[in-house]
Amino acid sequence: MSTAVVEPQHVPSGSQVNYLNATYGIKSWLLTTDHKRIALLYLASITLMFFVGGTAAVLMRLHLIEPQGALVQPETYNKLFSIHGIVMVFFFLVPSIPATLGNFLVPLMIGARDLAFPRINLLSWYIYITGALLVLYAILTGGVDTGWTFYTPYSSTYSHTHVIAAALGVFITGFSSILTGLNFIVTIHKMRAPGMTWFRMPLFLWAMYATSVIFILGTPVIAITIFLLGLERILHVGIFDPAIGGDPLLFQHLFWFYSHPAVYIMILPGMGVISELVTCFSKKRIFGYSFVAFSSMAIAVISFVVWGHHMFVTGQSIYTGLVFSVLSFLVAIPSAVKVFNWTATLYKGSISYDAPMLYALGFIGLFTMGGLTGLFLASLATDVHLNGTYFIVAHFHYIMVGGAVMAYLGGIHFWWPKITGRLYPDLWARIAAVIIFFGFNLTFFPQFMLGYLGMPRRYAVYPAEFQVLNVMSSAGASILGIGYLIPLIYLIWSMRYGPIAGPNPWGAKGLEWQTPSPPPTENFEEIPVVTEEPYNYPGTEVPVRG
Amino acid sequence: MAAHSRLHDPHAAEVAHQFEDPEQQREADSLGMWTFLVTEIMFFGALFAAYVIYRSLYPAAFETGSHLLEVKFGATNTAVLICSSLTMVLAIYCAQTGKSKSAIITFLVLTMLLGAAFIGIKLHFEWFHDYSEGLVPGINFNLAKYGSGVELFMVFYFFMTGLHALHMVIGLGILTVLVVMTARGRFSPRYYAPLDISGLYWHFVDIIWIFLFPLLYLIGGRYTHGGH
């Protein structure tokens, strides 16, 4: 993206001091304030949580092979989908890209030595771990069966499972998001290198900034909501339970005031990653930089005024529904701007199909499908039919798995050489990306059909005529599961045996590629001076402005 | 190179390694606190929203509940907090203008005393009294006497003032640290950012109370004799 004063150093990594080998020992990791090491702490923790949530999903899909249920009791099934949702949403998707790639890259991309508040950054990881341990405790001691939405009054009055422990875990983890968001906002405002103006920032940073805004505005609301839920459950006072004077709709309003923007917490960072991948692997400037940048901010803003579309059939007023429907359609505009701009960026680019690019292309297609099916759900009339069915499940998995997880994996593959200094086996990586793409579609496309035909979500049994589509979905889930295990194996393998990557294996622009791989603890020998527009790939340069 | 230039900076010790100069650090610290206060506003904001909704759903019960609170203690505490904001500002002013360490410490300790007085009044004259009247939901609330609407009011009263008091206690902890830092001579007219941003926090906690006081104590036309 930009020219630094320093030339990339072509010293083979491993022979130099970097953030990985500067100090050794468990203490040097657990007490580190280096944003790069904290990113790796997060990477390890969220990978563990991903496989916890994934195991629950695999068990659910195995159970649904037979109409009467093949594996577990209905009560256990309820716990499985609750664990899957709680773990995947709060402990994987929300922190996934911000806490790992964001933590690693924000200072590197703006040319800073660290985040503004390194100790708060470490604190956020400990808070995350505390929340995660509470949820794991709830799972191991019998689970929780409220669904990830904790709807009242079921969660506050009737459920006999470990609601308090799980809710407390979610409550606590929220503070790690707040601290991460706070750190990113201050860092991006105050610590950009000389010449790194707002409109020279990589689009990943715009996405991180927009995500951070949602972190700090939305997360406190879910925290207080969960707290009120806990109060009602412990004190038996009617905050949300209508039987004792509360209002259950208020819980849903407060819950979705956070949890709808949270959807954009999960997808916006992915969009940021895709902008980096698409430009690098088509060796072109992004088409319409400022549109892509501002669409991130627009999504963040609009995301706060659409929550009511989760409540079309709950008894909120029809006029409220109407307004929320219109506002929800508005989100499609900045989202479509991004998709069109990525596509236009590909046009006449010199495209190479490295593994990260395969994930990026997969993302664009799957996100588009997820987005378009979202319009069905934003329409009042069709939502009445589709609400609470597998159509919803398929829709948000196209966004969350087809979108966010694909982008996350694409980003991990793209920056892995920077993070570890090593290359992974390229062929395996491409094979895994293709397996994941096909496994994903086989898992979730049949669910669109199931939902449209009327199969409700969260049921442990179903009529026999739905079996074929369910078996297809379960088969896809097993392929998807294998697809996720392959990168786990070769990425770990590559940390020791992979070939040395060098500072910039992809020929990418961006400050992070101009420092050695892995970067030194202080990131840069000398703080770089930025003189160029972002993504100024050879042959597509524009003259320096201002 | 930045590390090199720091060798010649007499205030280098105050600049953390990730910052280039004291000015950048000061701006980052200040923006960090403001951003944190935004999250706090959303935190209390959700509670205020829930409170307002239930107040409009159960106006009579919330008025009854409000009348069970003693305005004189709430008003006294409002005055106490406003004074503590003044002493906080004076402590910052002393650091800014290079007054003696003891002047800064005096004002910080005064702020702490006023903060402690607030908590003392809240605890002794209000919460303990409420407990003896059987007004604490979940512990000894007299549902037969007051009814479930008043109980809901008291839930919000205790949760909101409790959360506010928790912020006060955290503030007292911060002030203690500031006193120690001042005694060790860490502050000068060039560097007093910790005092500055702690002051922001302290004022914010005050402002929350300024909203809580009328919302909880003054609703329902208490002084419009027989007006409803």
Side-chain angles (χ1 to χ4, degrees):
Chain A
M1 175 196 59
S2 330
T3 322
V5 186
V6 221
E7 282 299 304
Q9 299 172 2
H10 296 284
V11 191
S13 58
S15 65
Q16 64 187 10
V17 177
N18 58 52
Y19 80 101
L20 290 171
N21 64 14
T23 47
Y24 288 101
I26 192 94
K27 227 176 113 182
S28 77
W29 281 87
L30 291 181
L31 297 178
T32 184
T33 53
D34 183 344
H35 66 103
K36 302 182 285 305
R37 285 192 166 198
I38 295 169
L40 291 191
L41 292 176
Y42 263 116
L43 181 64
S45 344
I46 70 164
T47 304
L48 175 74
M49 294 309 270
F50 179 75
F51 282 98
V52 170
T55 306
V58 166
L59 292 176
M60 278 152 68
R61 283 317 320 170
L62 285 177
H63 176 78
L64 291 175
I65 285 174
E66 284 176 17
Q68 287 312 307
L71 202 59
V72 293
Q73 295 299 312
E75 293 78 18
T76 314
Y77 183 83
N78 292 348
K79 290 175 182 171
L80 285 176
F81 72 67
S82 304
I83 290 164
H84 172 69
I86 292 169
V87 168
M88 284 304 202
V89 169
F90 296 109
F91 294 92
F92 175 72
L93 283 168
V94 166
S96 61
I97 293 177
T100 56
L101 294 173
N103 239 333
F104 195 92
L105 292 168
V106 167
L108 280 167
M109 281 184 163
I110 60 171
R113 299 193 184 280
D114 205 321
L115 290 172
F117 308 114
R119 277 180 295 186
I120 287 181
N121 195 20
L122 180 65
L123 175 67
S124 89
W125 181 71
Y126 278 101
I127 292 173
Y128 170 85
I129 288 293
T130 310
L133 287 176
L134 266 166
V135 166
L136 290 176
Y137 162 82
I139 293 171
L140 291 176
T141 54
V144 55
D145 67 350
T146 59
W148 78 278
T149 49
F150 293 105
Y151 265 19
T152 53
Y154 183 73
S155 59
S156 60
T157 309
Y158 301 105
S159 173
H160 295 296
T161 53
H162 290 72
V163 180
I164 292 289
L168 193 60
V170 171
F171 173 81
I172 290 174
T173 301
F175 291 95
S176 81
S177 306
I178 292 174
L179 294 180
T180 301
L182 188 153
N183 231 331
F184 285 179
I185 286 179
V186 175
T187 305
I188 292 174
H189 267 281
K190 295 294 175 194
M191 301 185 70
R192 283 170 285 126
M196 177 60 86
T197 60
W198 281 89
F199 291 97
R200 283 179 183 164
M201 290 200 312
L203 289 162
F204 180 76
L205 293 177
W206 279 97
M208 278 301 128
Y209 189 82
T211 308
S212 302
V213 169
I214 307 178
F215 270 148
I216 65 159
L217 293 181
T219 318
V221 176
I222 188 81
I224 214 75
T225 311
I226 297 273
F227 206 102
L228 287 172
L229 157 66
L231 274 187
E232 170 160 306
R233 192 172 165 89
I234 294 168
L235 304 181
H236 307 292
V237 289
I239 304 173
F240 300 126
D241 185 351
I244 43 178
D247 182 357
L249 273 194
L250 179 63
F251 177 84
Q252 296 185 20
H253 278 297
L254 291 173
F255 179 85
W256 290 114
F257 180 85
Y258 163 78
S259 293
H260 193 78
V263 172
Y264 300 99
I265 288 177
M266 303 176 221
I267 196 67
L268 271 171
M271 293 168 157
V273 169
I274 298 306
S275 297
E276 302 300 314
L277 301 189
V278 165
T279 47
C280 175
F281 292 102
S282 41
K283 292 286 175 284
K284 258 184 84 193
R285 298 181 79 242
I286 191 92
F287 181 85
Y289 172 91
S290 51
F291 270 82
V292 181
F294 281 121
S295 64
S296 288
M297 296 311 289
I299 288 173
V301 172
I302 301 173
S303 75
F304 277 102
V305 290
V306 300
W307 79 86
H309 67 223
H310 294 270
M311 301 166 61
F312 283 158
V313 298
T314 58
Q316 80 180 355
S317 108
I318 186 72
Y319 301 105
T320 316
L322 212 62
V323 172
F324 277 124
S325 172
V326 172
L327 290 169
S328 303
F329 277 112
L330 284 185
V331 187
I333 296 170
S335 308
V337 163
K338 283 185 189 286
V339 171
F340 285 127
N341 284 27
W342 292 323
T343 316
T345 305
L346 294 172
Y347 179 66
K348 287 192 175 170
S350 26
I351 297 172
S352 51
Y353 295 97
D354 294 282
M357 187 59 162
L358 294 181
Y359 284 107
L361 294 174
F363 174 101
I364 295 174
L366 298 178
F367 173 75
T368 305
M369 281 196 60
L372 289 177
T373 50
L375 297 178
F376 290 63
L377 301 168
S379 317
L380 287 167
T382 45
D383 186 65
V384 172
H385 173 61
L386 297 171
N387 199 293
T389 70
Y390 265 85
F391 193 90
I392 302 253
V393 177
H395 158 69
F396 68 68
H397 281 86
Y398 264 76
I399 302 283
M400 299 289 91
V401 185
V405 178
M406 293 290 266
Y408 171 72
L409 288 173
I412 291 286
H413 281 82
F414 184 54
W415 283 290
W416 191 256
K418 181 54 60 183
I419 294 171
T420 63
R422 303 270 179 171
L423 294 170
Y424 45 82
D426 189 56
L427 182 63
W428 276 108
R430 293 189 203 201
I431 290 172
V434 172
I435 289 177
I436 288 172
F437 182 81
F438 283 105
F440 172 82
N441 279 296
L442 187 57
T443 310
F444 292 105
F445 198 82
Q447 296 187 6
F448 276 128
M449 293 143 107
L450 283 169
Y452 189 75
L453 295 172
M455 180 170 162
R457 63 194 284 205
R458 293 183 168 175
Y459 276 38
V461 294
Y462 56 86
E465 71 242 42
F466 292 142
Q467 190 172 12
V468 173
L469 288 170
N470 268 297
V471 169
M472 282 169 73
S473 181
S474 296
S478 5
I479 296 174
L480 191 57
I482 291 166
Y484 287 142
L485 284 173
I486 298 173
L488 184 74
I489 295 164
Y490 67 70
L491 287 179
I492 291 175
W493 176 89
S494 77
M495 286 163 79
R496 194 173 178 91
Y497 304 105
I500 300 295
N504 191 359
W506 311 115
K509 293 284 185 171
L511 293 182
E512 78 270 29
W513 300 107
Q514 300 183 10
T515 191
S517 307
T521 305
E522 291 279 285
N523 290 349
F524 300 96
E525 288 270 314
E526 199 166 325
I527 291 298
V529 176
V530 183
T531 55
E532 279 184 351
E533 304 289 303
Y535 316 116
N536 223 8
Y537 284 100
T540 63
E541 297 102 326
V542 289
V544 177
R545 261 196 277 154
Chain B
M1 183 169 164
H4 178 73
S5 67
R6 277 187 213 144
L7 291 177
H8 303 286
D9 185 344
H11 292 268
E14 292 147 10
V15 182
H17 78 99
Q18 70 271 27
F19 296 111
E20 289 302 297
D21 52 57
E23 181 59 15
Q24 188 187 32
Q25 169 159 322
R26 198 190 58 76
E27 287 183 6
D29 287 350
S30 174
L31 182 65
M33 182 50 86
W34 280 108
T35 312
F36 175 72
L37 295 184
V38 170
T39 73
E40 289 275 26
I41 288 172
M42 294 307 290
F43 207 66
F44 280 97
L47 260 184
F48 280 36
Y51 172 89
V52 166
I53 286 165
Y54 286 120
R55 163 144 163 66
S56 65
L57 280 179
Y58 308 110
F62 269 50
E63 282 176 26
T64 313
S66 172
H67 292 183
L68 295 169
L69 308 178
E70 288 277 9
V71 176
K72 62 179 183 224
F73 295 128
T76 311
N77 262 343
T78 309
V80 166
L81 273 194
I82 290 173
C83 291
S84 81
S85 261
L86 176 67
T87 52
M88 185 74 220
V89 171
L90 289 172
I92 297 167
Y93 175 77
C94 287
Q96 207 172 11
T97 51
K99 298 278 190 303
S100 66
K101 280 198 292 191
S102 61
I104 304 174
I105 290 176
T106 307
F107 284 119
L108 287 177
V109 170
L110 269 177
T111 312
M112 289 175 74
L113 288 176
L114 288 165
F118 175 93
I119 294 170
I121 292 170
K122 187 100 231 142
L123 212 58
H124 183 75
F125 293 107
E126 297 199 78
W127 286 348
F128 285 176
H129 176 75
D130 297 333
Y131 179 77
S132 66
E133 296 283 310
L135 279 172
V136 188
I139 297 176
N140 71 346
F141 192 81
N142 191 338
L143 201 60
K145 183 174 171 192
Y146 299 109
S148 67
V150 176
E151 185 182 31
L152 192 58
F153 174 84
M154 294 313 283
V155 167
F156 278 102
Y157 167 72
F158 277 105
F159 190 21
M160 291 163 104
T161 55
L163 193 63
H164 177 260
L166 176 69
H167 280 79
M168 296 283 300
V169 171
I170 293 169
L172 290 180
I174 293 171
L175 283 165
T176 312
V177 175
L178 290 179
V179 168
V180 173
M181 286 174 84
T182 315
R184 288 185 183 163
R186 293 283 299 279
F187 301 130
S188 67
R190 260 197 71 170
Y191 177 74
Y192 56 94
L195 282 170
D196 217 17
I197 62 168
S198 307
L200 284 178
Y201 173 84
W202 191 260
H203 300 318
F204 171 81
V205 177
D206 283 6
I207 289 168
I208 289 293
W209 178 256
I210 300 293
F211 281 90
L212 285 179
F213 175 58
L215 213 54
L216 295 170
Y217 289 78
L218 301 181
I219 61 174
R222 192 191 287 254
Y223 299 110
T224 56
H225 303 282
H228 49 276

